[in-house]
Amino acid sequence: MRRCQTEGVFGAVRRRGAEEAGAVFVKVSLLDGNAMLYVPAPQTVYEDGRPVDRFFVPAAPQPLPEPAVEERLTKEIRFDPDAWIVETEDRAGRHFLELARA
């Protein structure tokens, strides 16, 4: 959130999950009816042991219509009620996340 503020990008924690658990999902609204969704990277991208950093991967290679992203988030919350949702708005699609290496 601090990075968003520094860069002049609106961002908010839209849904607070459990403090000690819960996956974090990041929606980047492109302000044109489409959005990118970033989800937690699979555990296979982390070194052995408990990870100290969070890595993300895009849910899809291209932006999706916002209703499709919202539908995915609804399913994720049903699966993991402890999930967090962070939403930003940026026409350029900047996300400021650590992406997992392919």
Side-chain angles (χ1 to χ4, degrees), residues 71-90:
E71 183 177 319
R72 168 78 186 264
L73 289 171
T74 299
K75 288 178 184 177
E76 294 292 348
I77 291 167
R78 267 192 243 126
F79 178 75
D80 179 8
D82 294 331
W84 291 69
I85 299 175
V86 174
E87 185 166 348
T88 66
E89 295 178 345
D90 186 53

Side-chain angles (χ1 to χ4, degrees), residues 9 11 13 27 38 40 43 45 48 50 52 58 60 63-64 68 73 75 79-80 82-83 86 91 94 101:
V9 171
V13 176
K27 176 185 170 187
Y38 295 90
Q43 292 297 314
V45 304
D48 290 339
R50 187 169 184 201
V52 292
L64 298 170
L73 289 171
K75 288 178 184 177
F79 178 75
D80 179 8
D82 294 331
V86 174
R91 290 186 194 284
R94 296 175 293 169
R101 295 183 188 160

Side-chain angles (χ1 to χ4, degrees), residues 13 15-24 54 80-85:
V13 176
R15 181 178 196 280
R16 290 188 179 276
E19 291 290 331
E20 65 283 342
V24 177
R54 290 186 189 259
D80 179 8
D82 294 331
W84 291 69
I85 299 175

